[in-house]
C-alpha cells in the first residue's frame, strides 16, 4: 500500500457522504485488525454485523479462491451452480420456497417492497398499496427503502418521496393494528432494530402483527439484514420469536464480507415477480454465492448458534461490570451478539467521543440511535478477545468520565 494514501486522500477523491475514522485498516484476521502503522485493534463491530466469521476466515477464503478459478460472472441470462446451491440451502433452512438474490440489504428490501405492491395490485387492484413501517427503523438507502425507514433525517433533501407509507411507533401494537387496514399491502419490521438503537421487538408485538396481517391479507416482511444469519443465536431471528413472516430479507453476514443479499418468500407469493418484473445485474453472482454457501454451512450449525448465546451473555456481563464501576449505562439490551448499551443522560451526547476514545485504546465499537453503543462482533469471536476488548472499552469510558 502506498504511504501517500492517507485519511486526507478520502477528502480529496471521495464523495463526502461518509466521515471515516482516521485509521485505515489494511489487514484483518479473526477479530483483530491492523492499520497502516501496524497497530492492532480488537474488532467488536464485524464491519457492522457483516464479517460474521471474522476477517479472512479460511473456509471463506478457500471458497472464493476456488470459485475465482472457475467462473466469475455470466449474467442472469444463465443460472449458475453456486446460486442454485445457496438458494436450495436457504429454502431448506427456512420457511421459504423461492429466493431472489441481490447485492445489499437495501436491494433485498426494495425487492420485497416491490413484490408486495405487485402482488396486492394483482389480487386487489391499485387501491391496496399502503406500506406500514416503524419509527426508528432502517431498511436501506435507496429512495424507496429510505422513505420506508423511520428516520426522517435520512430523507431530508431528497423529495418528493414515494407515497403510500405510514409509520407508527415500534412495539406499539395498538397503533400498528389501527394503521394496518384493507389498503395495506405489507408491513415491514426489523425483529431487532439495529440502527434505531438495538431495540428488540416483543413477542406480543410480532405475534400481533402476524395476526393483523392475516386478518387484512397483507404481507408481513421481516428485515433480518442485521439481526439474521445467526446474530441472535438462531439462524434467523423469527425462529426465536416463533412468528413466521411471508417475506424475509437477508444480507450483511450472508456473505461474511462479500456483497450479497437475498429475499426469501413462498412459491405462491413469488409468482407476482414474474418474468421481467425485477432484476439485478450482479444478483446471484457465482463468487458471492460460493462465499455465501461457505458462510451458511458454518453458521447454521448447533455449535456456532449455541456459541452466539454464550458470547452474548459474556458481553452483557462485561458491560454490567463496567457500569458497576463507572455508572455509564442506563440500559443494556439486545439479543445474542447484537448488544446495545445506552449511555446515561450526562454521556448521551458523548457517544462520538466514546467511539474515538475506544479507537485510541485499540478497540472498535459502533453507535446506534441516540447515545447507544452497539456491539456486534464476529459470531465466533474468541472469549479472550471479548474480555480484552471490554477492558479497552472500559479504559476509553474512564477517560471520558475523568
Amino acid at each position: 500500500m502506498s504511504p501517500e494514501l492517507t485519511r486526507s486522500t478520502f477528502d480529496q477523491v471521495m464523495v463526502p457522504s461518509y466521515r471515516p475514522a482516521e485509521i485505515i485498516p489494511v489487514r484483518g484476521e479473526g477479530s483483530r485488525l491492523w492499520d497502516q502503522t501496524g497497530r492492532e485493534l480488537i474488532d467488536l463491530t464485524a464491519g457492522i454485523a457483516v464479517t460474521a466469521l471474522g476477517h479472512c476466515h479460511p473456509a471463506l477464503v478457500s471458497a472464493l479462491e476456488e470459485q475465482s478459478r472457475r467462473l466469475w460472472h455470466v449474467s442472469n441470462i444463465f443460472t449458475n451452480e453456486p446460486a442454485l446451491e445457496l438458494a436450495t440451502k436457504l429454502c431448506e433452512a427456512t420457511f421459504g420456497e423461492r429466493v431472489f438474490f441481490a447485492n445489499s440489504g437495501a436491494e433485498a428490501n426494495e425487492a420485497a417492497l416491490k413484490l408486495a405492491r405487485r402482488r396486492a395490485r394483482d389480487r386487489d387492484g391499485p387501491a391496496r398499496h399502503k406500506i406500514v413501517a416503524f419509527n426508528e427503523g432502517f431498511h436501506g438507502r435507496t429512495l424507496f427503502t429510505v422513505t420506508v425507514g423511520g428516520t426522517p433525517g435520512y430523507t431530508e433533501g431528497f423529495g418528493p418521496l414515494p407515497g403510500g407509507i405510514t409509520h407508527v411507533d415500534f412495539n406499539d401494537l395498538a397503533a400498528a393494528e389501527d394503521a394496518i387496514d384493507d389498503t395495506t399491502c405489507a408491513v415491514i419490521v426489523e425483529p431487532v432494530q439495529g440502527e434505531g438503537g438495538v431495540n428488540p421487538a416483543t413477542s406480543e408485538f410480532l405475534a400481533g402483527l402476524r395476526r393483523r396481517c392475516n386478518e387484512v391479507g397483507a404481507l408481513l416482511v421481516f428485515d433480518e439484514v442485521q439481526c439474521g444469519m445467526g446474530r441472535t443465536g438462531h439462524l434467523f431471528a423469527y425462529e426465536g420469536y416463533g412468528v413466521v413472516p411471508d417475506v424475509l430479507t437477508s444480507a450483511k453476514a450472508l456473505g461474511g464480507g462479500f456483497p450479497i443479499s437475498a429475499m426469501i418468500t413462498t412459491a405462491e407469493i413469488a409468482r407476482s415477480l414474474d418474468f421481467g418484473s425485477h432484476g439485478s445485474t450482479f444478483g446471484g453472482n457465482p463468487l458471492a454465492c460460493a462465499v455465501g454457501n461457505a458462510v451458511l454451512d458454518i453458521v447454521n450449525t448447533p455449535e456456532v448458534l449455541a456459541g452466539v448465546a454464550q458470547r452474548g451473555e459474556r458481553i452483557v456481563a462485561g458491560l454490567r461490570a463496567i457500569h458497576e464501576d463507572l455508572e455509564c449505562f442506563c440500559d443494556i439490551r439486545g439479543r445474542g451478539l447484537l448488544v446495545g448499551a445506552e449511555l446515561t443522560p450526562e454521556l448521551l451526547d458523548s457517544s462520538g467521543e466514546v467511539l474515538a476514545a475506544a479507537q485510541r485504546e485499540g478497540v472498535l465499537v459502533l453507535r446506534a440511535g441516540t447515545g447507544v453503543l452497539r456491539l456486534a462482533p464476529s459470531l465466533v469471536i474468541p472469549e479472550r478477545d471479548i474480555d480484552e476488548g471490554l477492558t479497552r472499552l472500559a479504559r476509553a469510558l474512564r477517560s471520558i468520565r475523568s
Side-chain angles (χ1 to χ4, degrees):
M1 183 66 67
S2 170
E4 289 79 25
L5 296 176
T6 66
R7 170 60 180 82
S8 63
T9 308
F10 179 95
D11 297 327
Q12 298 165 13
V13 299
M14 303 285 277
V15 171
S17 57
Y18 296 111
R19 191 175 296 161
E22 290 299 321
I23 60 172
I24 299 180
V26 296
R27 184 170 68 87
E29 182 178 345
S31 292
R32 307 250 174 169
L33 286 169
W34 288 265
D35 69 8
Q36 289 174 311
T37 69
R39 191 166 72 99
E40 178 197 78
L41 303 106
I42 294 176
D43 184 4
L44 299 183
T45 73
I48 313 184
V50 169
T51 52
L53 298 175
H55 299 281
C56 301
H57 190 285
L60 276 58
V61 172
S62 177
L64 182 58
E65 288 179 343
E66 181 179 347
Q67 185 60 43
S68 72
R69 290 190 289 269
R70 300 182 60 194
L71 186 68
W72 282 35
H73 177 78
V74 291
S75 84
N76 287 302
I77 295 172
F78 305 95
T79 190
N80 65 80
E81 291 180 345
L84 294 174
E85 182 181 1
L86 181 55
T88 299
K89 289 176 181 176
L90 287 170
C91 288
E92 290 174 346
T94 68
F95 68 92
E97 298 167 320
R98 298 292 186 271
V99 177
F100 175 84
F101 288 121
N103 312 287
S104 67
E107 291 174 74
N109 286 326
E110 185 93 9
L113 296 167
K114 287 179 67 176
L115 169 61
R117 282 203 168 157
R118 172 65 74 93
R119 179 176 182 271
R121 186 211 63 177
D122 292 347
R123 289 162 55 95
D124 302 310
R128 184 187 280 272
H129 68 271
K130 182 167 75 171
I131 295 166
V132 175
F134 298 94
N135 294 324
E136 308 304 325
F138 183 84
H139 303 293
R141 294 285 196 147
T142 67
L143 192 60
F144 195 3
T145 58
V146 81
T147 306
V148 172
T151 306
Y154 289 157
T155 58
E156 186 176 348
F158 295 112
L161 302 173
I165 300 163
T166 297
H167 292 93
V168 297
D169 285 343
F170 187 69
N171 273 332
D172 186 338
L173 181 57
E177 288 176 330
D178 287 343
I180 302 166
D181 56 26
D182 290 339
T183 69
T184 304
C185 68
V187 176
I188 184 168
V189 62
E190 299 164 87
V192 182
Q193 286 188 332
E195 302 299 316
V198 191
N199 300 307
T202 66
S203 296
E204 295 77 14
F205 178 63
L206 294 186
L209 294 181
R210 175 73 279 173
R211 181 176 60 251
R212 183 63 177 147
C213 284
N214 289 345
E215 290 171 354
V216 304
L219 296 183
L220 179 59
V221 180
F222 277 7
D223 176 346
E224 296 215 24
V225 168
Q226 186 162 165
C227 67
M229 282 302 292
R231 181 64 46 189
T232 65
H234 297 271
L235 182 62
F236 289 104
Y238 80 85
E239 299 171 274
Y241 282 99
V243 177
V244 180
D246 300 297
V247 184
L248 181 144
T249 58
S250 177
K252 285 186 179 289
L254 180 59
F258 203 99
I260 184 173
S261 65
M263 179 193 72
I264 303 168
T265 189
T266 67
E268 186 275 324
I269 294 170
R271 280 200 291 268
S272 292
L273 279 189
D274 54 4
F275 180 72
S277 63
H278 192 52
S280 170
T281 295
F282 294 105
N285 173 271
L287 293 169
C289 289
V291 177
N293 275 300
V295 172
L296 186 58
D297 287 346
I298 296 171
V299 170
N300 193 25
T301 59
E303 296 79 13
V304 169
L305 295 176
V308 168
Q310 295 165 3
R311 288 169 172 82
E313 291 169 1
R314 194 178 189 92
I315 287 177
V316 169
L319 290 171
R320 287 174 176 159
I322 291 173
H323 174 69
E324 288 176 7
D325 181 31
L326 299 174
E327 297 184 349
C328 50
F329 304 130
C330 58
D331 190 23
I332 298 170
R333 56 183 180 260
R335 286 204 169 203
L337 282 172
L338 183 55
V339 180
E342 185 173 350
L343 295 168
T344 53
E346 62 268 26
L347 291 174
L348 202 60
D349 296 327
S350 301
S351 57
E353 296 177 46
V354 173
L355 265 60
Q359 288 175 20
R360 290 194 296 270
E361 294 292 343
V363 62
L364 302 180
V365 295
L366 298 163
R367 180 167 46 185
T370 302
V372 179
L373 302 185
R374 176 176 29 161
L375 280 65
S378 159
L379 306 184
V380 294
I381 182 172
E383 291 182 351
R384 65 181 182 276
D385 286 356
I386 292 175
D387 296 343
E388 177 59 25
L390 292 175
T391 296
R392 297 180 186 187
L393 177 59
R395 287 202 300 264
L397 287 163
R398 188 172 289 106
S399 72
I400 297 296
R401 293 301 299 264
S402 60

